[in-house]
Amino acid sequence: MRSGLIALAALALLGLAPAAAQPVVSPARGAPLRAAVLDALRPTVERETGGKVIFVVHALNVMGAWAYADVEPRRPDGEKIDWRKTRFRRAFEADVFSGLVLALLRRKDGAWTVADYIVGPTDVYWYNWVTKYKLPEALFKGP
């Protein structure tokens, strides 16, 4: 039993333990981990919005090599995105668009990459990722 716990602890240190066996953390503003995850997400969101963005973070949870972000992109001056000037115009005008971005990121070889994301969800979209990526709900619900 003890050797199994030692092996699990060693795998966790390497980021290889099963996600369910690892704690969920929410890195604080200014933390290097928070910056690394958000900086990895930024280019994807900038492509979708057609310009530079900053994030209002509603949730940022990290569990081992996985991270979940629930963010509201804004322009660098703090202005809200004008979704009518994006490919999401119709959904925005039909009021079936939240203005949020949900993203699932994965750390590989020391770098965070976007594994999956959705712009403008109006439901609990992350639940699809629980099944698709075999991840525990705790990653999305937070600590």
Side-chain angles (χ1 to χ4, degrees):
M1 174 76 173
R2 184 166 183 223
S3 63
L5 290 175
I6 291 171
L8 186 59
L11 288 172
L13 288 173
L14 295 173
L16 301 175
Q22 299 179 19
V24 177
V25 297
S26 291
R29 184 180 291 213
L33 177 57
R34 180 182 175 110
V37 172
L38 294 176
D39 287 346
L41 176 58
R42 196 173 320 280
T44 298
V45 177
E46 289 177 344
R47 275 191 307 275
E48 293 286 7
T49 63
K52 299 288 184 187
V53 296
I54 60 170
F55 297 118
V56 174
V57 177
H58 296 282
L60 181 61
N61 304 325
V62 179
M63 179 184 273
W66 292 96
Y68 166 68
D70 174 343
V71 299
E72 179 185 347
R74 300 242 175 134
R75 295 298 177 213
D77 62 2
E79 289 291 317
K80 290 189 174 191
I81 303 295
D82 184 351
W83 294 106
R84 293 170 298 181
K85 295 180 179 177
T86 70
R87 68 183 185 95
F88 304 101
R89 177 181 58 81
R90 287 193 178 140
F92 177 79
E93 289 175 348
D95 201 26
V96 291
F97 186 83
S98 68
L100 299 175
V101 174
L102 304 183
L104 181 65
L105 296 95
R106 189 168 191 184
R107 186 178 58 231
K108 287 185 178 180
D109 300 324
W112 289 99
T113 59
V114 176
D116 213 335
Y117 72 98
I118 186 168
V119 179
T122 57
D123 62 1
V124 187
Y125 190 85
W126 60 257
Y127 198 73
N128 297 304
W129 296 333
V130 169
T131 305
K132 183 177 180 179
Y133 295 96
K134 297 176 178 44
L135 294 168
E137 288 185 28
L139 171 62
F140 305 96
K141 293 182 176 180

